[in-house]
Amino acid sequence: MLDSQSEPRHTIRFSACARLWCIVFASVLLPLASSWGQGTAADYQRMARFESLGSDLLDRTRLNPHWLSAHDALWYEIDAAPDQSEYYWVNLSTGQKSLLFTSAQLVQWAADLDPELANSDSLNGRAAKLLVSDSPQQVFLMLQGQHFVFDRDKQTLAKVPATDFPDVPVERKVELKTSGASDERVNLKFQNQLDVSVELFWIDPQGRSRSYGVVDSGQSNDMSTYRSHVWLVRSRDGLNLALVEADFDGQEVNITANEGIEIVVPRTMRRQAAFYRRGNPDSNADSGRPSPNNSSPPEHPTTSPSTALVQPARSQPRSPNGQWEASVQDYRVVLRQLDSERELVIDLPADAGNYFNGQFFWSPDSKFLVALQEQPAQSHEVHLIESSPRDQLQPKLHQLDYLKPGDKIRQVQPHMIDVERGTPISFDNRSFANPWSVDDFRWAADSSEFSFRYNQRGHQVMRVIGLRPDGSTRIIVDEVSDTFIDYTGKFFVDYIDSTGEILWTSQRDGWNHLYLFDRQTGQVKNQITSGPWVVREVQHVDQQQRRIWFTAGGIHPDQDPYHVHYCHVDFEGRDLVVMTGGDGNQEIRYSPDQKYLVATYSRVDLPPASEVREVATGRLVCELERGDWSRLLATGWQPPQRFSAKGRDGTTDIFGVIYRPSNFDPQRKYPVIEYIYAGPQGAFVPKSFATTRWEKSLCELGFIVVQIDGMGTNYRSKSFHDVCWKNLGDGGFPDRILWLQAAARMEPAMDLTRVGIFGGSAGGQNAAGAVLGFGDHYHVAVADCGCHDNRMYKIWWNEQWMGWPIEEHYAQQSNVTMAKNLKGKLFLIVGELDRNVDPASTMQVVDALVRADKDFDLLVVPGGGHGVGSSPYGLRRTADYFVRHLWQTEPRHDPESGR
């Protein structure tokens, strides 16, 4: 039995009077039906208009809190209407919100005080910067370069000399960037030359800020971080002062009043700091593995290394006592005693196909050395032909190294060496044989054990392994799954070295939860979180306070289980706090003192709403704003409808959304189009509000469009997710079909005799699979850049879900194998230079269709890359295809002329 969280059904009801009106006038309306929503030129124009709708049609949503920690308050400006703002003061102690003034009032008061301002065309009273000094009753602000003070009690504005302004840092416009991924550790030194304290925040790869402490005026802070990590400097009142990217070891950052920051490059450095430099975010797209876990948080000082039971092992050639240096010569490990120049060649066989890679991990007492021996991956070249290069007439041949399922992978094995004897220590490696990866290397502080995390190829075993100098091995943490361990999506580990504990996520009870392990015994000390919900992501671990900050899905049983909420809990699991509560998908911003947060939540059918909550308890302090979508609705924009129905097991709720055209008529019948992506690494149905989505605009051509998350996708129970294992061909279709049937019973306007489907990448595989395997329910498909045969796609993604070794199920579920079963219409799109999914994956489906004598349509885009079907041309062709085959008419026709 799968998880059965339910949600009230949401339907659109029409009054009896409205339905009677439709019946009475049906004879008038029906003759006109052929001109409504059938791909006419007017329909395409309306589609383009709705595609261009922006968030500027929403009011009371753009809110930026400015924290006044010294006064336990905040102020914010809100867009109340076009070109109109309102400024509010919030007393966080009492939860009272009060209007300071409006932009119109500011303009009037300022103009009354300064006649020159009255004649200024640019004076609008918006985006004013408010400053508060010792007295919260006085609010200072600048307009057009003039200085003013607003008295909150008297509700008056007065001009003041610039010398009377509070001496505070100037907020700077900072374009926030996210941290890159690097394993090169560097040290940053922040020197605060301001008259006030500042706070340092690390910006993680997802754009979230994590506080790393305060630097008082005149003080400095040394930070151990990674190259390409991004740091934000803020005043204690929440003003953004500067953004710094770690670029080299020994980088010094002087925080000044005038320049914001000054980077000091040591004289020994011969290259200049490269600010904001980031690698290509897709640089790992073609590699055999997902990006390495090197976007970890920088070190946060917690305990002195001298008191820790375990410590991270860093690769370095020289021993801690300075007496030995390790190197690799002719693939083998050589130890050199520095005071005597004596060399020891370690008797471990090695050659070009199984060599030592130069990573050395010394025990703290320098008596033992662990060296990593590496077997390189095979080379698997994929060749792409660029038929129409822009810089020459003749085609170009491109090649890339691209491992595919079943290929020989890079494998690493640790070897321990007794330095005093100069001999290797033998271990039984059966508990860590055939690794996909080994990492998280650590030494016990007393040098009694070396440990590492081991992920077995096939992703069904994840362990922390301990190797001891006496030749014994032990399994410290043992995670085993009959299906797969979601190491790329939900897995988390953190080592509490000071107490010899390990934080670990596991789905062993059927849901993704946090566990605390005793490192010494290898036993679970306690399960930290539990219940029919999932830990989505661990965001921060406070080892000193023994507290974990994380996001969760399904933790509010009366809400959509995919809504992301923010929580924290202690290591013992006794004090779980859910900080957010609004019925929607959440985003949060903390106050600089971490005492409060502003939570902004929305749904596809609810514009953003914001509120202040207390971090320690989750208590609602004050509701700030609720978005106003009146102007958006006035355009005819139809809110999406959330809908859920039971899945294949009859108990589990399947969630989705329904989009209708702006001229929706409940008495008509509309073809249905599903926009699909069933990749198991995530969930696809949108949960947050947006004014524009292409799939929603597609409705204007006379369709009802839906999105569904069937079984086999992520963020629900383990059994829900396990449906995908060795079974990607399933695509959740048994659930999708039941959902569509339930939706059609609720909404009779949905015509299930005309169902289209489209998607890209894994969604392209799914879309083609719909008409190859489920052609009785899906009739027209557009498949862009599909990974149609999982043996043809990148190794890590497919072995994660389809398993290893490669067995018959890979071929059985291939769209190439299924091509002979094609029913309906199929349009394949592929870019000839797709470096993410081998274009041959699509062409092999083409070959199979030709061999099976099947009719189909194909678009190969010269120079096109991955996702070319989402280009303007690809989307136009997709829309046209559905109009032709679901409406049986030519796109953009003129209903009056018949052309």
Side-chain angles (χ1 to χ4, degrees):
M1 178 174 171
L2 304 184
D3 57 301
S4 55
Q5 298 192 30
S6 61
E7 177 188 65
R9 301 283 176 83
H10 297 269
T11 61
I12 293 180
R13 294 184 173 87
F14 299 90
S15 68
C17 179
R19 290 191 178 275
L20 178 61
W21 186 92
C22 292
I23 294 172
V24 170
F25 290 94
S27 60
V28 176
L29 294 175
L30 288 177
L32 299 175
S34 63
S35 66
W36 289 353
Q38 293 187 27
T40 66
D43 295 332
Y44 275 88
Q45 291 170 1
R46 191 172 60 255
M47 176 185 177
R49 181 167 64 88
F50 278 99
E51 267 190 275
S52 65
L53 292 182
S55 59
D56 58 330
L57 290 172
L58 295 175
D59 296 317
R60 312 199 76 87
T61 60
R62 289 172 287 280
L63 181 153
N64 186 23
H66 298 265
W67 302 94
L68 306 170
S69 301
H71 304 296
D72 211 25
L74 68 82
W75 70 268
Y76 69 91
E77 177 187 7
I78 191 70
D79 54 318
D83 300 321
Q84 298 180 40
S85 293
E86 295 173 353
Y87 295 81
Y88 286 90
W89 180 280
V90 180
N91 185 320
L92 297 172
S93 298
T94 64
Q96 292 181 332
K97 182 181 82 169
S98 56
L99 177 67
L100 288 171
F101 39 73
T102 67
S103 57
Q105 287 175 316
L106 270 185
V107 168
Q108 184 60 54
W109 293 338
D112 290 342
L113 292 170
D114 190 335
E116 291 185 7
L117 290 179
N119 299 322
S120 173
D121 293 333
S122 59
L123 179 62
N124 58 26
R126 306 192 72 190
K129 297 300 181 186
L130 310 188
L131 305 174
V132 180
S133 59
D134 295 336
S135 171
Q137 299 308 118
Q138 289 187 319
V139 178
F140 294 84
L141 62 140
M142 288 187 65
L143 287 174
Q144 298 294 104
Q146 302 296 316
H147 299 78
F148 299 88
V149 62
F150 176 74
D151 190 301
R152 293 179 56 216
D153 288 336
K154 298 177 181 178
Q155 290 285 296
T156 58
L157 188 73
K159 288 189 69 174
V160 294
T163 54
D164 290 351
F165 245 54
D167 185 17
V168 296
V170 176
E171 181 170 26
R172 302 175 190 278
K173 184 176 181 181
V174 172
E175 181 185 350
L176 288 182
K177 297 179 180 291
T178 60
S179 287
S182 170
D183 57 5
E184 181 183 342
R185 185 171 291 279
V186 297
N187 289 300
L188 279 180
K189 183 175 184 178
F190 290 91
Q191 180 73 43
N192 183 8
Q193 298 180 3
L194 297 173
D195 294 333
V196 296
S197 299
V198 298
E199 190 165 9
L200 304 178
F201 291 85
W202 176 56
I203 307 300
D204 72 12
Q206 286 71 46
R208 294 179 299 264
S209 60
R210 307 189 191 184
S211 175
Y212 272 73
V214 173
V215 185
D216 292 329
S217 174
Q219 300 299 309
S220 62
N221 188 329
D222 292 318
M223 191 66 64
S224 179
T225 184
Y226 293 92
R227 186 170 175 268
S228 81
H229 275 199
V230 174
W231 292 85
L232 175 66
V233 182
R234 276 185 186 153
S235 73
R236 295 308 306 278
D237 287 338
L239 301 180
N240 292 335
L241 304 181
L243 198 70
V244 181
E245 182 172 353
D247 189 54
F248 52 86
D249 192 38
Q251 186 174 342
E252 295 183 14
V253 181
N254 292 335
I255 306 165
T256 67
N258 296 326
E259 300 299 328
I261 60 168
E262 175 188 50
I263 303 299
V264 180
V265 183
R267 291 183 178 180
T268 55
M269 299 299 297
R270 287 294 179 259
R271 64 187 183 87
Q272 188 168 344
F275 302 115
Y276 311 143
R277 183 175 63 229
R278 290 291 308 278
N280 180 355
D282 295 324
S283 60
N284 285 283
D286 302 319
S287 69
R289 301 166 183 263
S291 299
N293 186 23
N294 50 9
S295 55
S296 304
E299 287 190 357
H300 205 317
T302 52
T303 58
S304 168
S306 62
T307 64
L309 301 179
V310 188
Q311 59 194 48
R314 296 192 178 89
S315 177
Q316 55 186 22
R318 184 163 295 189
S319 63
N321 64 9
Q323 297 180 10
W324 293 91
E325 188 169 78
S327 63
V328 177
Q329 298 178 21
D330 296 326
Y331 309 113
R332 305 178 76 177
V333 176
V334 176
L335 298 180
R336 182 167 63 94
Q337 197 168 26
L338 298 179
D339 59 355
S340 67
E341 296 297 320
R342 180 170 66 104
E343 286 191 347
L344 299 175
V345 179
I346 306 303
D347 186 21
L348 284 168
D351 54 38
N354 200 22
Y355 57 87
F356 286 91
N357 63 16
Q359 289 185 275
F360 301 111
F361 303 95
W362 286 93
S363 64
D365 63 6
S366 301
K367 292 182 178 180
F368 304 100
L369 173 69
V370 172
L372 299 186
Q373 191 168 29
E374 181 172 322
Q375 171 188 283
Q378 72 173 78
S379 176
H380 188 143
E381 291 185 352
V382 169
H383 297 90
L384 307 175
I385 296 177
E386 184 179 6
S387 63
S388 308
R390 296 295 181 259
D391 59 348
Q392 66 183 50
L393 176 63
Q394 299 301 322
K396 288 182 179 179
L397 176 65
H398 300 263
Q399 67 181 48
L400 59 146
D401 203 30
Y402 183 111
L403 293 186
K404 295 182 178 182
D407 283 349
K408 178 184 175 183
I409 63 172
R410 169 184 175 266
Q411 292 190 316
V412 173
Q413 285 285 342
H415 290 269
M416 187 178 293
I417 299 166
D418 185 323
V419 176
E420 292 180 346
R421 297 179 179 178
T423 58
I425 299 172
S426 298
F427 292 97
D428 181 350
N429 72 347
R430 285 178 294 178
S431 61
F432 53 97
N434 193 25
W436 171 264
S437 63
V438 293
D439 49 28
D440 292 357
F441 305 110
R442 309 181 101 71
W443 268 105
D446 62 2
S447 301
S448 63
E449 183 176 73
F450 177 81
S451 65
F452 57 92
R453 181 164 59 91
Y454 155 77
N455 179 5
Q456 187 182 77
R457 188 171 190 180
H459 311 299
Q460 294 179 285
V461 177
M462 182 87 74
R463 290 174 174 149
V464 176
I465 299 290
L467 305 181
R468 293 178 171 174
D470 63 4
S472 63
T473 66
R474 71 181 183 116
I475 299 174
I476 301 171
V477 179
D478 193 16
E479 189 74 31
V480 179
S481 173
D482 292 334
T483 55
F484 59 85
I485 296 168
D486 186 4
Y487 80 102
T488 58
K490 293 197 287 288
F491 178 74
F492 174 83
V493 62
D494 194 32
Y495 302 90
I496 318 302
D497 294 335
S498 60
T499 58
E501 296 169 306
I502 300 174
L503 291 171
W504 186 273
T505 52
S506 171
Q507 298 185 82
R508 59 186 60 190
D509 76 345
W511 301 84
N512 196 51
H513 282 299
L514 286 160
Y515 293 78
L516 184 66
F517 281 81
D518 185 309
R519 185 185 188 93
Q520 185 63 34
T521 66
Q523 300 299 308
V524 175
K525 295 182 69 172
N526 58 271
Q527 184 171 347
I528 299 172
T529 59
S530 62
W533 52 275
V534 297
V535 172
R536 290 278 297 257
E537 180 187 18
V538 174
Q539 297 189 302
H540 178 60
V541 175
D542 188 331
Q543 295 192 15
Q544 288 182 321
Q545 299 297 322
R546 293 180 66 82
R547 204 152 192 90
I548 307 163
W549 303 74
F550 65 96
T551 59
I555 200 164
H556 288 296
D558 58 338
Q559 293 189 25
D560 184 321
Y562 296 94
H563 287 168
V564 172
H565 285 273
Y566 290 78
C567 317
H568 56 88
V569 66
D570 65 18
F571 283 12
E572 286 68 39
R574 293 189 297 244
D575 182 25
L576 173 63
V577 174
V578 184
M579 296 185 290
T580 53
D583 186 6
N585 214 32
Q586 304 278 335
E587 295 180 355
I588 65 172
R589 287 169 285 183
Y590 290 103
S591 63
D593 60 7
Q594 306 288 299
K595 186 177 179 181
Y596 302 99
L597 60 82
V598 168
T600 300
Y601 64 93
S602 69
R603 301 190 305 264
V604 292
D605 58 354
L606 177 74
S610 297
E611 57 192 20
V612 180
R613 289 185 173 266
E614 193 175 58
V615 170
T617 65
R619 177 182 64 88
L620 178 63
V621 174
C622 177
E623 182 179 290
L624 298 180
E625 298 291 340
R626 287 188 174 272
D628 181 353
W629 60 359
S630 301
R631 292 190 296 120
L632 177 64
L633 296 178
T635 67
W637 187 90
Q638 289 271 351
Q641 179 186 355
R642 296 181 297 146
F643 183 75
S644 65
K646 299 302 179 186
R648 68 187 78 183
D649 62 354
T651 59
T652 302
D653 282 324
I654 304 299
F655 291 81
V657 294
I658 302 171
Y659 304 108
R660 296 173 175 83
S662 60
N663 58 358
F664 176 71
D665 177 1
Q667 300 304 311
R668 297 189 62 211
K669 285 287 189 180
Y670 294 84
V672 178
I673 298 175
E674 180 181 354
Y675 180 26
I676 188 171
Y677 187 93
Q681 75 272 21
F684 181 58
V685 175
K687 299 300 172 183
S688 299
F689 189 84
T691 56
T692 302
R693 289 186 172 94
W694 187 83
E695 58 271 21
K696 185 179 189 307
S697 302
L698 181 62
C699 293
E700 301 304 321
L701 302 185
F703 303 114
I704 290 176
V705 178
V706 303
Q707 289 178 264
I708 310 162
D709 278 322
M711 292 186 190
T713 52
N714 214 334
Y715 308 135
R716 300 285 290 277
S717 69
K718 176 62 171 158
S719 55
F720 189 102
H721 203 187
D722 276 349
V723 170
C724 76
W725 188 61
K726 295 187 175 183
N727 192 32
L728 289 182
D730 176 276
F733 282 113
D735 312 300
R736 298 171 188 278
I737 292 166
L738 289 171
W739 188 97
L740 285 168
Q741 292 169 346
R745 290 192 294 270
M746 177 275 299
E747 177 52 87
M750 295 174 64
D751 183 0
L752 297 190
T753 67
R754 294 178 292 166
V755 179
I757 187 169
F758 73 102
S761 196
Q765 177 186 16
N766 304 140
V771 289
L772 300 180
F774 303 90
D776 292 337
H777 303 279
Y778 294 90
H779 312 104
V780 181
V782 179
D784 173 34
C785 59
C787 38
H788 297 285
D789 188 316
N790 296 105
R791 296 167 296 181
M792 291 290 293
Y793 188 33
K794 63 182 65 169
I795 186 172
W796 73 263
W797 195 88
N798 293 280
E799 289 192 8
Q800 164 80 95
W801 316 116
M802 291 290 279
W804 180 91
I806 311 306
E807 297 173 340
E808 291 183 357
H809 63 281
Y810 272 86
Q812 291 168 351
Q813 296 174 52
S814 167
N815 283 344
V816 176
T817 305
M818 300 292 290
K820 61 181 181 295
N821 300 326
L822 173 63
K823 293 183 180 180
K825 298 293 183 179
L826 174 60
F827 181 22
L828 297 167
I829 302 175
V830 65
E832 66 179 9
L833 292 185
D834 190 335
R835 296 176 179 271
N836 186 28
V837 177
D838 187 344
S841 185
T842 293
M843 300 311 294
Q844 288 177 4
V845 175
V846 170
D847 176 66
L849 290 168
V850 170
R851 290 173 180 272
D853 197 26
K854 296 291 184 178
D855 292 335
F856 63 97
D857 294 277
L858 172 67
L859 170 63
V860 179
V861 180
H866 191 62
V868 72
S870 295
S871 67
Y873 182 77
L875 291 175
R876 195 267 292 172
R877 290 290 304 272
T878 296
D880 290 354
Y881 199 78
F882 286 130
V883 167
R884 285 192 179 97
H885 296 292
L886 291 177
W887 275 116
Q888 298 295 315
T889 188
E890 277 301 300
R892 299 169 197 81
H893 67 276
D894 184 342
E896 294 184 2
S897 67
R899 293 180 295 178

